[in-house]
């Protein structure tokens, strides 16, 4: 499904929450957000700029072959950068 979604460049709103595959996909929300960077709302929840930045940092690690643990570290580091900017 992520491959299909990656071809939907103008997708802004998406609801997949009750689909069975969602429970089978680790880190579902983050995976969808890195696949569809233009999404404004996923499963009825607005995608804020902080979440987008954190997912981008997380996704960069995953897309470069990193582990979920390494991606989580990148997410935390981005959160710290965001907090320092405030």
């Amino acid at each position: 499904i992520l491959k299909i979604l990656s071809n939907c460049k103008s997708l802004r709103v998406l609801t997949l929450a009750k689909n069975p595959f969602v429970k089978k996909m680790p880190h579902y929300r983050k995976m969808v957000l890195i696949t569809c960077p233009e999404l404004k709302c996923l499963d009825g929840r607005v995608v804020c700029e902080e979440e987008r930045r954190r997912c981008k940092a997380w996704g960069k690690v995953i897309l470069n072959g990193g582990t979920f643990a390494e991606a989580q570290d990148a997410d935390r580091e981005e959160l710290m950068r965001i907090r320092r900017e405030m």
Side-chain angles (χ1 to χ4, degrees), residues 11-14 29-30 32-34 36-56:
L11 190 62
R12 300 292 184 265
V13 178
L14 180 63
R29 187 170 175 89
K30 288 179 181 179
V32 171
L33 290 176
I34 63 172
C36 305
E38 298 302 318
L39 274 181
K40 305 293 182 202
C41 185
L42 177 59
D43 296 328
R45 204 170 101 207
V46 172
V47 180
C48 68
E49 185 58 31
E50 177 183 314
E51 182 178 23
R52 189 173 307 286
R53 283 180 56 181
R54 292 176 67 189
C55 284
K56 185 176 179 182

Side-chain angles (χ1 to χ4, degrees), residues 6-45:
S6 70
N7 292 317
C8 301
K9 304 296 182 199
S10 61
L11 190 62
R12 300 292 184 265
V13 178
L14 180 63
T15 300
L16 294 170
K18 299 207 181 219
N19 286 282
F21 86 91
V22 169
K23 291 182 182 180
K24 295 178 184 177
M25 182 186 296
H27 308 282
Y28 155 75
R29 187 170 175 89
K30 288 179 181 179
M31 294 297 287
V32 171
L33 290 176
I34 63 172
T35 303
C36 305
E38 298 302 318
L39 274 181
K40 305 293 182 202
C41 185
L42 177 59
D43 296 328
R45 204 170 101 207

Side-chain angles (χ1 to χ4, degrees), residues 62-81:
I62 294 297
L63 295 174
N64 287 313
T67 65
F68 287 131
E70 292 168 329
Q72 188 64 34
D73 288 342
D75 181 349
R76 276 192 289 274
E77 289 172 15
E78 186 62 25
L79 177 60
M80 296 305 287
R81 271 192 286 282

